[in-house]
Amino acid sequence: MQAIPSRLATSERLGRHVFSRSRAKRLSRGKPDHRAFLEAHGVDELSVDRLDYAALEVMREIAIESGKGREGEFQGWAVIRVKDAARNGRTVEARPLLNNVYHAEIVLNISGHSEKRDIQKQHAIELATLATWLGRP
Amino acid sequence: MRKADYHDPWTGSSSPARSYKEAGSASRISPTFVRAPEGLLASSVLRNVASRSAESAEGVKPSYSVIVRDDATPSQYHAGAWLSEALTELLDVDAEAQENGHEPPSQQAKNHAERILESLAPSGEGWPAPSVYPTSDREIAIFFRSDSRRASVLILCASDGQGACFAFADGRGRRARYEDAGEMPDAFVWEQLQKLR
């Protein structure tokens, strides 16, 4: 396993898990879907995996494990670079978990905002605009 | 009366959409010829023409007309081609909502989405084909993205009849909300879409 620096590099790839088959189909055809970066009401942290420190097969197994109990099979990642994820008030923080040392979060920093849902959507479309698709190996 | 606010989320500045509309370049939807080169597009466009005709018979004036003919230019064909695909995706929103475990959008949201797509398509030459899908908030999303410009426009038709338009271009976000999605596409929406070309 490659050593994982706690500090994120701007060129690092961050992968957001996609489980919906229809969403994956759309993304794989190069069409956008902002739902890949939209969390539930009130949640302003987006879980991502740091993809550049292990083989994709390893990252796939982590994604499958994290998705247990939810609808749909793991399909792939919506991928965004740290430099794009950490713009317009967002920050990216490495937050390793016991079962996923590659885990990080894109933090929207909107907790005090009065129009929180709209701001969530605004960030989601920006991230979706800049993201690319990476199907599961 | 419409309540629509133009808002720049990064600066926090807001202004009424009405004054924004007056300041912007007003767009007008013109009747446009769209070529129908294959069965799916032809049936979609013809179905919409028929639908509008039926509304006319009931006293509702159609907002535009699409005429199918064979001598349209290739660029006009492309505008029509994404309409066909978008309407096909719109037909699938209930199935996709079910797949994702969400309640499907209302018929009112679907009607607004269909009308907006039909309104945009005749002027949609040079725009990327949009994605059309349901959201967990029971909206229908119409999402245009230009990879080359790193820009996008998201139009949302909510199940309660409201609407919203979110845009991202030149590294900045903008949005407008509408109490009645029937107000879309207005000058704000058209102006954001022009940035995708």
Side-chain angles (χ1 to χ4, degrees), chain A residues 8-16 37 46 48-53 77-88 90-93 104-107 123 126-134, chain B residues 150:
Chain A
L8 289 99
T10 55
S11 60
E12 264 190 55
R13 295 179 305 160
L14 304 171
R16 177 93 171 142
F37 292 96
L46 308 175
V48 289
D49 286 343
R50 302 171 69 181
L51 297 179
D52 294 339
Y53 297 99
W77 299 268
V79 178
I80 188 151
R81 301 274 177 186
V82 169
K83 65 181 177 185
D84 290 326
R87 281 183 177 167
N88 286 331
R90 297 181 298 265
T91 51
V92 182
E93 298 173 15
E105 286 179 339
I106 301 171
V107 185
H123 283 295
E126 178 175 339
L127 293 166
T129 301
L130 304 173
T132 56
W133 172 247
L134 179 60
Chain B
R150 289 166 64 94

Side-chain angles (χ1 to χ4, degrees), chain A residues 31-32 34-35 115 121 129, chain B residues 89 96 133-134 139 152 175:
Chain A
K31 298 186 74 176
H34 77 292
R35 296 172 298 178
E115 296 176 321
K121 291 174 183 174
T129 301
Chain B
E89 287 189 33
E96 186 167 345
Y133 50 84
E139 303 149 325
S152 60
R175 70 177 190 273

Side-chain angles (χ1 to χ4, degrees), chain A residues 20-22 26 29-32 34-35 41 84 88 115 117-118 121-123 125-126 128-131, chain B residues 10 85 89 96 99-100 130-134 137 139 145 150 152 154 166-168 171 173-175 177:
Chain A
S20 161
R21 193 180 296 273
S22 55
R26 186 172 289 116
R29 294 169 56 211
K31 298 186 74 176
H34 77 292
R35 296 172 298 178
H41 286 258
D84 290 326
N88 286 331
E115 296 176 321
R117 189 58 171 167
D118 274 0
K121 291 174 183 174
Q122 188 77 54
H123 283 295
I125 81 153
E126 178 175 339
T129 301
L130 304 173
Chain B
W10 315 128
E85 187 176 320
E89 287 189 33
E96 186 167 345
E99 177 200 331
N100 293 320
S131 295
V132 180
Y133 50 84
D137 294 338
E139 303 149 325
R145 177 179 69 178
R150 289 166 64 94
S152 60
L154 173 68
F166 295 79
F168 174 70
R174 291 175 176 79
R175 70 177 190 273
R177 276 219 156 266

